[in-house]
Amino acid sequence: MDGSVVTGRIWVLSDQKGKLIEDIDTDQIYHNAFLHITEISEMGQHALNNLEGWKDFPQKARPGDIIIAGRNFGAGSSRQQAVDCFVSLKVGLVIAPSFGAIYFRNAVNSGFPILNCAELEEMVAQRILETGDEVEINFQTGEGKNISKADSFKVEPMSAVQYDIFKAGGLFEYGKLVS
Amino acid sequence: MGKTIIEKIIRNHTEDEVSPGQVVWMGLDVRSARDFGGPNVVKNFEREYGNSPVADIKKTFFTFDLCVPACSLKYADNQQVCREFARKQGIRVFDVDSGIGSHVLIEEGLAQAGTTVVGTDSHLNILGAIGCFGQGMGDVDITYAFKTGKTWFEVPKTLKVLIKGRFSLPATAKDLTLYILKELGTKKAALQAVEFYGEAVRKLTLSGRITLCSMVTEMAGIIGFIPEHDDSLRDEIEKLTGAGFSPVHADKGCLYSGQIEFDINGLVPQVAVPFSPDNVQDVSELKGIRIDTGFIGSCTNGRAEDLALAARILKGKRVKQGVTLKVVPATRRVYEEILERGILEDLFRSGAIISSPGCSGCAEGHIGLTGEGEVQVSTGNRNFSGKQGKGKTYLASPAVVAASCLAGQILSPEDL
Ligand code: SF4
C-alpha cells in the first residue's frame, strides 16, 4: 500500500438525536487541564474527554478508526495536542465539512490525515455513513467505499501540497526532502 | 477571470495557480514571532535545522508584546531564549519597550499593502487594515517560515460586505465593528477573506480600519480588506510609515462567494456582552450595569486616536470613586504622540493608570486581571470566560469605556 488508501471503522460524532455535533472546539477535544503532558503516547487517553457523550472514546477507539465530525471541528485555540491525541490513539483519519483554520494546518503539518467533505451532514442524515461501518477512503482521489453497506461515496481529496507533506511525515520532514 | 484582493496578493507571491480552494506555496515578505510561540519556534528550529541560518534575516523579526517587560519568570525566560537566538542569527528584535507587534510592523513600514506577513499572533490579520495579507500561525508553521521564507496556504473564498449608511459620534469605528460582528456572527465569514465596501468604511481612518480588521478574527474570517479610501488615508499611512501606500484592488468581474448588505444609519454605541464577542447589544439595553474597572488599549483600540477620544470625554473630570481605569498605548510611538499632544496628562489627571505599551490586560499580562465577580468594560476584542481573569468583560468603544468609568456604570457618552 502506498499509504494513500486507508480502511477503518467509523465513529460518527453525533448527539443523542443522531445529528453531527458542530463547533467541537479544541477544549472539548483535548482539555487544557492536560496541556502539561508532553508525551504523545499519553495524550490519547484524554481525547474527546470533554465532549458530552464521547468521554469514553479512548476506551472504544481502535487503531485505524476514522472520525466523522460536524462543521468547524477544532475551532478555538491553536493547541497541537488536539491533533496529537488522535495520533496517540492511532486514529486513521478525521473527516468534517470544515475545520478550524489553525486546527487544519496543525494536522497537515504533523502529517496527520484530515479531509473535508461538504456533503457529510447529508450523508449522515441519509445513513450512508453510520458508526461501526467499515469504509475505505483514497486520500488522493477522494473516493470512498462503504464496505459494510456495499456503497460508495465521495469526499474531497487531499490537495497536492497536503499529500506531499503527509507522505513525507510532516512539514519538517517535507522541508528536508525539498531543500 | 477577474480576481479578488486576496487572490491577487497570493498570485503575486506564488508560482502555483491561484483560485479558491487551491493550496499553494506562498512566499513571505515578513515572518515574525512574539514572546508567545517564539520560544517554541527557536526550539523547533534548533532541533530541526541545528545552527543553520534563517532564510533571510532582513525579513525575520521577533516582536515582544504579550508580557512586557516580563511579569513572570516564564516570560522572562521565553524572551531571553528568543533574544539569544536572534543575536546568534543577527535577527532584529522589537524588544519589550516597543509595543504590540502587529502595530510595530505597520509603523516601521515592514508590513505594507500587497505584502504577505506571518507570525505567532492570531490577530495578525489586523494588517488587512493597510491592505497587507497578515496571518497568524502556529509555531511549527512559523519555524518552517523562518527557515524557508515560504508557507503553504489554501486560497480562501472572498465574501463581499456592503455597508450602507453613515455613522457619527457617539458611534465610532468600534461600534461599527461590533455591529458587523453581530450581523456576520462567527459563521458567515468563516474561513473566508472579506472585502468591506460602502461609505462608512471608506471614510475610516487607519485607526478605525485597524479596529475593524482586528475583529475579523472574531468573525472567524481569514482577513478583512477595506479597498476604498480617501486621499487623507494615503497621507496618514505614508506619514506614519515613511513608505508608499498602493493597495491592491479587486478586478472587475471577480468572483465572490456571496454578498451581504446592511444599513448602519442610526448606529448607536454597541457593547459585546460576556462571554462571547458576537453577543452584541445596543448600549442602552445594558445601561446601569455597575462596573469595577475599565480598560482602554489592545491591538483593537490602542492607537492615539482611540486614546484621544477617551481623553476628550475624561478631560477635567475624575473617574468615579471605586472604579479604576487602565490605559495602555499600543506602541511606543503612540505613547510619544499622546505625550506630545497632552492626551497623557488629561488621562492621568482623570485618574487613569497608564502603563508601558503592549498587549497588557488583553493578554492576561500587565496592568491587572479581573477577580471573581469583578465587572470590566474593555476596548479589547475578546471577552471569553477566563481570558483576562475570573471577572466578566464587556467590550465597547474607548468613548463608552471612558464614559462608563466616569459614571461607574455602563452607559453611552451622551447620557453623561
Ligand atoms: S492586544 Fe490582545 S488580541 Fe491583540 S495581539 Fe495582543 S494579545 Fe492578541
Side-chain angles (χ1 to χ4, degrees):
Chain A
M1 193 177 84
D2 65 356
S4 61
V5 179
V6 289
T7 311
R9 176 182 64 154
I10 59 177
W11 293 102
V12 178
L13 297 187
S14 51
D15 58 19
Q16 286 180 329
K17 291 181 196 140
K19 206 177 161 315
L20 270 178
I21 309 172
E22 298 184 346
D23 302 310
I24 297 176
D25 66 37
T26 50
D27 245 327
Q28 292 171 297
I29 299 171
Y30 193 89
H31 195 262
N32 64 20
F34 306 111
L35 287 180
H36 60 278
I37 298 174
T38 53
E39 279 301 316
I40 291 190
S41 62
E42 288 169 30
M43 292 175 190
Q45 54 183 309
H46 304 297
L48 299 183
N49 84 343
N50 195 28
L51 180 64
E52 235 4 87
W54 289 90
K55 300 190 178 182
D56 56 350
F57 181 75
Q59 287 78 53
K60 300 193 294 197
R62 288 199 307 247
D65 281 357
I66 293 170
I67 292 175
I68 297 215
R71 69 173 285 288
N72 201 20
F73 185 77
S77 89
S78 59
R79 72 188 61 153
Q80 185 70 35
Q81 290 90 335
V83 172
D84 290 343
C85 64
F86 296 132
V87 174
S88 173
L89 289 175
K90 303 199 169 57
V91 166
L93 171 67
V94 179
I95 315 175
S98 64
F99 293 89
I102 299 181
Y103 189 85
F104 192 81
R105 293 193 72 87
N106 286 346
V108 171
N109 288 342
S110 57
F112 180 74
I114 183 167
L115 296 176
N116 284 292
C117 174
E119 290 82 37
L120 209 51
E121 245 160 80
E122 205 44 38
M123 293 200 277
V124 167
Q126 294 181 11
R127 301 177 168 251
I128 293 169
L129 295 172
E130 286 183 279
T131 291
D133 287 353
E134 194 79 12
V135 300
E136 180 189 291
I137 291 172
N138 185 315
F139 295 156
Q140 279 183 294
T141 62
E143 274 157 21
K145 278 188 215 145
N146 188 328
I147 299 164
S148 309
K149 294 195 159 80
D151 200 359
S152 65
F153 60 96
K154 277 285 278 181
V155 298
E156 285 163 43
M158 283 186 181
S159 68
V161 170
Q162 186 188 356
Y163 185 68
D164 288 346
I165 296 173
F166 163 70
K167 240 180 24 192
L171 185 64
F172 291 135
E173 298 309 317
Y174 174 80
K176 286 170 198 160
L177 292 178
V178 292
S179 60
Chain B
M1 171 70 70
K3 296 219 174 297
T4 66
I5 295 172
I6 189 76
E7 290 161 18
K8 286 173 82 170
I9 295 178
I10 293 177
R11 190 186 58 195
N12 292 340
H13 290 83
T14 186
E15 277 154 23
D16 299 329
E17 198 202 314
V18 174
S19 61
Q22 202 71 33
V23 179
V24 302
W25 284 104
M26 178 171 85
L28 300 166
D29 299 310
V30 172
R31 29 276 183 175
S32 65
R34 61 209 298 219
D35 45 348
F36 175 83
N40 277 343
V41 170
V42 171
K43 214 170 79 191
N44 293 338
F45 193 97
E46 293 186 330
R47 187 190 62 234
E48 298 294 330
Y49 308 117
N51 282 324
S52 69
V54 299
D56 187 344
I57 53 169
K58 287 201 204 64
K59 297 180 173 180
T60 311
F61 304 93
F62 285 100
T63 58
F64 298 162
D65 51 15
L66 279 159
C67 193
V68 287
C71 51
S72 74
L73 256 181
K74 190 181 110 216
Y75 269 103
D77 286 343
N78 282 352
Q79 288 160 2
Q80 194 55 21
V81 164
C82 298
R83 268 184 212 115
E84 279 168 16
F85 178 79
R87 258 178 229 146
K88 222 162 54 189
Q89 292 265 353
I91 296 171
R92 177 153 182 208
V93 177
F94 292 99
D95 217 306
V96 296
D97 53 347
S98 309
I100 301 175
S102 53
H103 287 238
V104 171
L105 292 175
I106 294 176
E107 291 175 349
E108 295 287 319
L110 294 169
Q112 293 187 14
T115 64
T116 54
V117 177
V118 296
T120 58
D121 166 8
S122 63
H123 281 87
L124 208 58
N125 51 5
I126 205 168
L127 299 176
I130 55 157
C132 162
F133 179 27
Q135 201 62 195
M137 289 181 182
D139 53 66
V140 170
D141 275 311
I142 300 303
T143 309
Y144 190 82
F146 268 35
K147 181 63 196 166
T148 66
K150 281 194 305 197
T151 192
W152 60 273
F153 207 80
E154 180 178 334
V155 181
K157 295 178 188 158
T158 303
L159 175 73
K160 184 173 182 181
V161 175
L162 177 60
I163 297 152
K164 294 189 171 152
R166 301 182 62 166
F167 66 90
S168 56
L169 284 173
T172 66
K174 181 61 166 286
D175 304 298
L176 173 70
T177 301
L178 290 172
Y179 189 81
I180 295 173
L181 184 51
K182 181 178 173 180
E183 287 285 326
L184 296 185
T186 57
K187 289 193 176 163
K188 289 183 185 158
L191 302 180
Q192 301 194 66
V194 185
E195 291 180 10
F196 295 103
Y197 292 91
E199 198 190 352
V201 291
R202 180 167 57 82
K203 292 230 170 292
L204 287 177
T205 59
L206 174 60
S207 157
R209 284 163 190 254
I210 284 176
T211 303
L212 173 54
C213 292
S214 76
M215 291 194 74
V216 171
T217 303
E218 280 61 51
M219 300 169 198
I222 296 289
I223 190 154
F225 295 112
I226 309 160
E228 297 174 338
H229 62 86
D230 295 342
D231 288 344
S232 55
L233 183 84
R234 169 174 296 115
D235 298 344
E236 186 188 352
I237 292 176
E238 291 185 345
K239 188 166 155 242
L240 177 74
T241 65
F245 176 64
S246 45
V248 173
H249 289 271
D251 292 333
K252 280 217 173 64
C254 65
L255 215 59
Y256 293 105
S257 64
Q259 173 161 338
I260 295 179
E261 283 185 28
F262 47 87
D263 197 316
I264 53 124
N265 269 319
L267 180 71
V268 297
Q270 304 288 302
V271 177
V273 176
F275 294 103
S276 161
D278 62 332
N279 189 7
V280 175
Q281 298 182 15
D282 287 358
V283 66
S284 57
E285 292 170 55
L286 302 163
K287 191 174 169 190
I289 292 179
R290 192 190 55 76
I291 61 159
D292 299 294
T293 183
F295 169 65
I296 301 175
S298 87
C299 60
T300 297
N301 278 122
R303 304 294 309 167
E305 190 182 313
D306 299 311
L307 307 190
L309 176 60
R312 250 167 62 194
I313 292 166
L314 294 165
K315 187 173 182 168
K317 304 201 179 72
R318 188 89 203 160
V319 162
K320 182 150 179 123
Q321 177 101 39
V323 174
T324 50
L325 169 60
K326 303 171 279 194
V327 178
V328 184
T331 66
R332 191 172 174 87
R333 287 199 32 199
V334 170
Y335 208 121
E336 185 178 20
E337 185 177 339
I338 62 166
L339 179 74
E340 283 170 354
R341 288 170 58 188
I343 295 163
L344 188 66
E345 183 175 345
D346 293 341
L347 292 170
F348 181 84
R349 295 203 184 284
S350 76
I353 309 164
I354 301 140
S355 108
S356 55
C359 296
S360 67
C362 177
E364 217 188 302
H366 274 180
I367 213 161
L369 300 169
T370 55
E372 183 105 54
E374 189 171 343
V375 178
Q376 167 173 255
V377 43
S378 160
T379 66
N381 47 49
R382 284 179 171 170
N383 59 353
F384 301 131
S385 174
K387 171 108 169 129
Q388 294 111 9
K390 288 188 175 168
K392 284 184 170 174
T393 294
Y394 292 81
L395 305 177
S397 72
V400 168
V401 174
S404 301
C405 286
L406 291 176
Q409 54 165 287
I410 294 179
L411 48 62
S412 168
E414 283 179 318
D415 295 335
L416 271 180

